[in-house]
Amino acid sequence: VAVGCLLAMVMLLYMRGVNRELPLFLVGLTFAAAEGGARLHLSPLLVSLAAGALIANLDEREGRRIHLAIQQAGLPVFALFFAAAGAGLKLDALVTVGPAALLLVALRALAIWWACRRFAPSEDPRLKQYLWMGLISQAGVTFGLAALVSRSFPSFGPQVEVLIIAMITAHELVGPVLTRRALVASREIRAEEAGGGA
């Protein structure tokens, strides 16, 4: 966490001082943090999370700028990440963990549905009825955590990684559809806007 805070300070100094080619700078800094963190036995994921959290809380405007820069540089990075993650998957384990993944997906969806029905604010009944649909999608840091489990526990980690990725895949297939249905049903968007990709 301390190294992540140091990384955040470096980012803020660069953004206020140099302020050029921010997406490229972030990719380079992230690569350096990942390589340096691995050599120092630090978790690059935790270092990056700490840096992002500190920036988001210290300077909201700079946090938005970093978010936009990450979106600009994200596509090739995500493509490489998913290719590397997919290349290391043992799909034969999917046969054994597939049913468990579907069961966990269903239990997670049920828990989210129940929690939203029970604890969503009552002043807007649409929240109790539709909020759960927008919370099904899941990805991002979870992929990194799945890979970390696989590396940390060689005996059972690869099976857990396949289980987690199978769950994320199911969430990503169902989640956006449910989110769209919730937005249309709660009249936050019109059906023709959702269909047109607006």
Side-chain angles (χ1 to χ4, degrees):
V1 172
V3 173
C5 292
L6 182 64
L7 189 68
M9 293 302 162
V10 169
M11 281 192 251
L12 287 173
L13 286 172
Y14 179 86
M15 292 170 72
R16 292 180 180 157
V18 179
N19 198 21
R20 295 183 57 169
E21 301 298 333
L22 185 58
L24 185 61
F25 173 75
L26 288 176
V27 168
L29 188 63
T30 304
F31 180 74
E35 282 299 309
R39 294 186 195 293
L40 297 172
H41 304 290
L42 299 173
S43 167
L45 187 61
L46 184 58
V47 168
S48 298
L49 281 172
L54 185 66
I55 289 173
N57 286 290
L58 281 181
D59 193 332
E60 189 177 331
R61 186 177 65 84
E62 298 293 2
R64 283 194 301 269
R65 285 185 56 219
I66 287 177
H67 183 75
L68 290 172
I70 289 171
Q71 285 180 331
Q72 290 173 351
L75 184 59
V77 173
F78 290 141
L80 287 171
F81 173 76
F82 288 116
L89 280 180
K90 296 178 176 33
L91 291 181
D92 55 333
L94 187 60
V95 175
T96 55
V97 301
L102 290 176
L103 176 65
L104 289 172
V105 165
L107 288 174
R108 179 179 177 270
L110 184 64
I112 291 172
W113 173 82
W114 179 82
C116 288
R117 290 284 179 147
R118 177 78 174 91
F119 299 111
S122 58
E123 57 264 8
D124 190 347
R126 295 179 304 172
L127 285 175
K128 286 191 179 291
Q129 191 170 1
Y130 302 117
L131 178 63
W132 72 274
M133 293 181 179
L135 300 176
I136 296 298
S137 289
Q138 170 194 15
V141 174
T142 313
F143 277 112
L145 292 174
L148 187 62
V149 167
S150 180
R151 284 193 307 271
S152 300
F153 304 101
S155 59
F156 63 88
Q159 289 83 9
V160 174
E161 181 183 24
V162 171
L163 174 69
I164 292 170
I165 290 177
M167 291 173 60
I168 292 170
T169 302
H171 291 137
E172 288 305 303
L173 290 172
V174 175
V177 175
L178 288 176
T179 299
R180 180 191 174 278
R181 284 191 64 199
L183 290 171
V184 171
S186 63
R187 296 186 183 90
E188 291 292 324
I189 60 170
R190 295 188 304 274
E192 55 272 12
E193 287 177 347

